[in-house]
């Protein structure tokens, strides 16, 4: 990891006159409102660190209210890049990106953000541990167990290399200019900067923290809200940070409350206990909308629901069995039964936004619903009806339990014996003890390139391979092509082959449907839901 200090050499003083800077709002003496949001889960790891908590629920509380990156995602628009803690950026070459930092940005502890904080935010101490840039090599949790309370959790270096497989380091050009150096060409550098995990933290706060846990439960960032109180598994209170560079936040505080049961979230919303209720299933929409003064906002998002197979299971080690499972599922019937037609079956692990760069594989679709083919594949596999475990959470995902029960019945119709094992949390889902089989997951498009989710989630350092659920040598070689090639035709050929491997030839997952979010709220609040899990409570998305 390089760390180059070349202060003052270029005499650059940050943002140019034409740079977009959001105006600061005049400070009003009126008391700002506070809101309470009922969520199914706050975080999975009891951590507020963007590398340690890579999840849908984390996205909801992290962005854009708490954590910010050099480049921001346009959460309320097309999900593309907009200036953030960097006001402008340019390519030096295929491996190097130069960024001018926004001047005068304050951290929650009052420190000014400088190039030192940016370099630290992408350092070995903060992210990568003792790993080196090396595409195609899987980094396992067991090899990175912390020896002290201050060291990184075992999963973080692997997540770091999942998101930044070839990052060499950040060069400090001057106080407000940095250069990002990659060891290989990468057409997705800008996208990686606005995806989850590349946000900036304060160096001094890290140094002063007694342990990683202490730091991660109250990270010092630059967002419009800062951590007031965090009670793991209970609540998280964010409070307004009035020195925010983008203007005074419109809310005094945002309180997220963990309410696992859908009925309790709905009842609390309609009784006035909560201002928002998240993750509502479609069958609850009518009840909320029928109540005076309430509404439901919903949309499909850049995220697909999937099932993942574990090939350490001796039955699922045979790809014929996994192929049979994919052909036994009637995806449209599930949408009709559980989603009231409010979502769709996507073209495999693809997103329509890939068309913008001509990286969408036309004509591709998930394995067709074909029970007869499924039965034939099981016969070829000599499957004898042995039980396949299905580790299932209780509605972590909307309609998850009902979806799982329907799939078990569909599998039963073709002769598959899949048995549900209810689990309480993700640690139990991933527990290497016992026999694994099938589990639920979701896969998102965070970089607006086929590298996500195909490489980021299913490649050599994707969670699936790091958890030893599945691996494929050809897939990993193609992942390196996707990470390093600048030839669009070659990359498109690689992603087409990866789809063939991951969905049909040696299935690692089966795509079920595009994810959709449904948020119940008080109509008087004049707030709009983003087409994402994230909830934007900045001044630009709140009408007092």
């Amino acid at each position: 990891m390089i760390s180059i200090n070349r202060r003052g050499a270029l005499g650059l003083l940050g943002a140019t006159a034409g740079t977009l800077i959001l105006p600061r709002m005049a400070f009003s003496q009126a008391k700002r409102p506070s809101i309470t949001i009922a969520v199914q889960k706050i975080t999975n790891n009891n951590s507020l660190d963007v590398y340690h908590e890579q999840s849908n629920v984390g996205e909801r509380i992290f962005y854009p209210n708490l954590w910010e990156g050099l480049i921001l995602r346009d959460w309320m628009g097309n999900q593309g890049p907009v200036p953030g803690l960097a006001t402008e950026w340019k390519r030096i070459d295929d491996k190097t990106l130069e960024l001018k930092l926004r001047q005068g940005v304050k951290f929650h502890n009052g420190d000014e953000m400088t190039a030192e904080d940016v370099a630290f935010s992408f350092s070995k101490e903060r992210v990568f541990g003792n790993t080196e840039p090396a595409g195609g090599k899987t980094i396992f949790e067991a090899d990175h167990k912390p020896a002290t309370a201050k060291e990184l959790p075992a999963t973080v270096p692997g997540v770091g290399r999942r998101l930044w497989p070839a990052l060499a380091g950040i060069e400090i050009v001057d106080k407000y200019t940095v250069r990002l150096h990659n060891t290989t060409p990468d057409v997705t550098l800008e996208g990686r900067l606005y995806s989850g995990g590349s946000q900036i933290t304060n160096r001094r706060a890290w140094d002063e923290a007694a342990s990683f846990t202490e730091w991660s439960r109250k990270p010092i960032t630059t967002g419009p809200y800062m951590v007031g109180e965090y009670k793991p598994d209970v609540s998280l209170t964010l409070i307004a940070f009035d020195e925010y560079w983008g203007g005074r936040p419109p809310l005094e505080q945002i309180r997220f409350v963990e309410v696992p049961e859908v009925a309790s979230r709905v009842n609390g919303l309609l009784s006035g206990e909560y201002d928002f209720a998240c993750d509502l299933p479609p069958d609850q929409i009518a009840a909320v909308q029928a109540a005076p003064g309430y509404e439901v906002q919903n949309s499909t998002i850049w995220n697909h629901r999937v099932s993942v197979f574990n090939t350490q299971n001796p039955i699922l080690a045979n790809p014929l069995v996994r192929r049979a499972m994919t052909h036994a599922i009637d995806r449209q019937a599930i949408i009709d039964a559980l989603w009231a037609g409010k979502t769709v079956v996507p073209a495999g692990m693809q997103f329509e936004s890939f068309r913008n760069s001509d990286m969408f594989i036309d004509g591709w679709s998930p394995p067709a619903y074909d029970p007869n083919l499924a039965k034939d594949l099981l016969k070829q596999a000599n499957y004898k009806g042995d039980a396949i475990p299905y580790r299932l959470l209780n509605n972590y995902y909307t309609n998850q339990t009902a979806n799982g029960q329907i799939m078990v019945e569909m599998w039963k119709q073709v002769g598959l014996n899949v048995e549900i094992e209810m689990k309480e949390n993700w640690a139990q889902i991933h527990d290497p003890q016992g026999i694994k089989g099938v589990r639920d997951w979701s896969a998102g498009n965070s970089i607006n390139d086929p590298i996500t989710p195909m490489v980021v989630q299913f490649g050599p350092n994707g969670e699936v391979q790091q958890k030893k659920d599945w691996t494929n040598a050809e897939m990993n070689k193609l992942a390196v092509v996707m990470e390093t090639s600048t030839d669009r035709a070659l990359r498109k050929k690689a992603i087409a082959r990866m789809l063939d491997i991951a969905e049909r030839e040696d299935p690692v997952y089966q795509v079920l449907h595009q994810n959709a979010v449904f948020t119940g709220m008080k109509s008087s609040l004049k707030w709009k839901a983003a087409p994402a899990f994230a909830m934007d409570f900045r001044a630009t998305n709140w009408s007092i």
Side-chain angles (χ1 to χ4, degrees):
M1 182 72 66
I2 61 175
S3 179
I4 306 171
N5 287 273
R6 189 156 58 88
R7 298 175 176 276
L10 301 181
L12 299 176
L13 296 177
T16 62
T19 298
L20 172 65
I21 300 179
L22 296 178
R24 288 188 175 273
M25 297 175 63
F27 278 66
S28 169
Q29 297 304 310
K31 181 175 175 58
R32 289 171 288 187
S34 295
I35 58 172
T36 300
I37 305 169
V39 297
Q40 187 271 348
K41 189 70 179 170
I42 296 173
T43 69
N44 293 321
N45 293 319
N46 291 334
S47 168
L48 303 180
D49 174 34
V50 290
Y51 283 97
H52 196 212
E53 180 69 29
Q54 290 273 304
S55 68
N56 301 335
V57 294
E59 177 182 300
R60 175 175 290 124
I61 63 170
F62 289 164
Y63 317 119
N65 305 305
L66 178 60
W67 284 94
E68 295 184 311
L70 299 175
I71 302 176
L72 299 183
R73 181 182 295 278
D74 182 9
W75 290 108
M76 301 306 300
N78 65 2
Q79 308 300 296
V82 293
L85 299 182
T87 57
E88 58 182 286
W89 52 91
K90 66 179 180 181
R91 285 278 184 151
I92 303 299
D93 53 44
D94 288 340
K95 302 178 184 179
T96 312
L97 189 67
E98 183 174 278
L99 303 101
K100 299 298 181 69
L101 304 184
R102 190 178 297 277
Q103 297 188 35
V105 172
K106 293 293 185 68
F107 283 107
H108 297 159
N109 62 0
D111 291 354
E112 183 188 12
M113 182 200 70
T114 68
E116 295 280 358
D117 299 292
V118 174
F120 168 72
S121 295
F122 294 93
S123 67
K124 285 192 169 186
E125 182 181 4
R126 164 70 182 101
V127 182
F128 299 109
N130 62 7
T131 67
E132 296 293 340
K137 178 182 178 182
T138 304
I139 297 171
F140 294 107
E141 181 178 345
D143 299 327
H144 296 275
K145 297 292 186 182
T148 69
K150 194 64 181 287
E151 291 180 20
L152 295 168
T155 59
V156 170
V159 171
R161 288 303 175 196
R162 178 186 309 164
L163 303 180
W164 290 98
L167 182 66
I170 301 295
E171 172 190 355
I172 298 175
V173 177
D174 61 33
K175 187 176 181 180
Y176 300 113
T177 309
V178 296
R179 285 184 179 172
L180 184 156
H181 290 276
N182 223 44
T183 58
T184 65
D186 188 345
V187 300
T188 68
L189 291 179
E190 294 87 349
R192 293 181 187 279
L193 281 172
Y194 69 81
S195 66
S198 298
Q199 286 65 42
I200 305 304
T201 192
N202 177 256
R203 174 63 194 255
R204 180 169 68 89
W206 175 281
D207 290 340
E208 292 175 352
S211 67
F212 176 87
T213 298
E214 176 187 291
W215 172 84
S216 73
R217 293 186 175 179
K218 196 171 185 177
I220 301 301
T221 66
T222 62
Y225 299 91
M226 55 187 176
V227 178
E229 180 182 54
Y230 178 37
K231 297 179 180 179
D233 299 320
V234 178
S235 66
L236 168 67
T237 301
L238 303 180
I239 59 177
F241 176 53
D242 286 341
E243 293 187 83
Y244 178 54
W245 62 268
R248 187 176 187 244
L251 300 174
E252 191 70 29
Q253 71 174 33
I254 306 167
R255 184 168 180 258
F256 295 92
V257 181
E258 198 160 296
V259 186
E261 295 300 324
V262 171
S264 297
R265 294 200 293 277
V266 172
N267 291 338
L269 174 68
L270 298 182
S271 71
E273 182 179 1
Y274 312 129
D275 300 289
F276 295 86
C278 298
D279 294 326
L280 302 185
D283 63 8
Q284 295 295 314
I285 293 176
V288 174
Q289 290 182 330
Y294 291 91
E295 65 182 75
V296 175
Q297 296 196 28
N298 65 275
S299 68
T300 53
I301 63 175
W302 284 7
N303 185 277
H304 295 337
R305 276 279 287 109
V306 302
S307 301
V308 174
F309 304 115
N310 182 281
T311 57
Q312 289 186 324
N313 183 303
I315 301 170
L316 296 181
N318 189 334
L320 295 176
V321 176
R322 284 175 274 135
R323 287 176 58 197
M325 297 182 79
T326 69
H327 286 293
I329 300 303
D330 187 341
R331 294 160 180 80
Q332 190 58 50
I334 292 175
I335 289 174
D336 293 342
L338 299 180
W339 292 91
K342 293 183 180 295
T343 188
V344 297
V345 178
M349 194 59 75
Q350 301 193 92
F351 295 86
E352 287 296 317
S353 60
F354 295 167
R355 296 187 187 278
N356 297 334
S357 56
D358 190 29
M359 290 295 288
F360 190 94
I361 308 302
D362 286 312
W364 187 261
S365 61
Y369 172 54
D370 191 336
N372 290 329
L373 176 57
K375 292 175 182 177
D376 183 60
L377 289 167
L378 292 175
K379 184 177 180 180
Q380 293 179 47
N382 198 30
Y383 173 67
K384 300 297 185 182
D386 293 333
I388 300 170
Y390 179 0
R391 295 183 178 181
L392 183 65
L393 292 173
N394 182 22
N395 292 324
Y396 173 86
Y397 298 108
T398 301
N399 280 329
Q400 182 179 7
T401 302
N403 191 108
Q405 292 168 337
I406 291 174
M407 289 199 300
V408 166
E409 287 303 312
M410 290 178 173
W411 283 322
K412 183 178 180 181
Q413 293 301 312
V414 301
L416 283 157
N417 179 16
V418 181
E419 297 182 347
I420 288 176
E421 297 178 355
M422 296 303 299
K423 302 296 180 182
E424 296 179 356
N425 51 52
W426 282 103
Q428 292 179 6
I429 293 289
H430 292 301
D431 188 351
Q433 300 301 314
I435 300 174
K436 295 183 181 181
V438 188
R439 67 173 173 89
D440 292 326
W441 207 25
S442 67
N445 172 24
S446 60
I447 296 179
N448 198 16
D449 180 273
I451 206 166
T452 58
M454 188 61 79
V455 177
V456 172
Q457 291 186 240
F458 301 100
N461 276 307
E463 182 182 279
V464 166
Q465 297 205 45
Q466 289 181 342
K467 296 292 186 184
K468 301 183 179 180
D469 285 328
W470 173 94
T471 190
N472 181 286
E474 184 183 358
M475 183 85 162
N476 290 349
K477 290 179 181 178
L478 292 167
V480 175
V481 173
M482 290 297 295
E483 290 174 340
T484 62
S485 177
T486 59
D487 184 328
R488 180 174 296 173
L490 182 62
R491 294 182 82 243
K492 191 171 184 178
K493 182 179 179 181
I495 198 65
R497 176 60 183 146
M498 293 176 87
L499 283 168
D500 192 46
I501 294 170
E503 297 187 9
R504 296 183 181 173
E505 186 176 294
D506 183 22
V508 53
Y509 60 81
Q510 59 176 9
V511 171
L512 300 176
H513 56 77
Q514 188 168 355
N515 230 329
V517 291
F518 302 86
T519 304
M521 60 175 286
K522 295 177 179 177
S523 300
S524 60
L525 296 179
K526 307 300 182 184
W527 174 88
K528 295 297 182 183
F533 289 108
M535 301 182 76
D536 186 350
F537 290 106
R538 293 173 295 181
T540 52
N541 194 44
W542 183 271
S543 178
I544 298 175

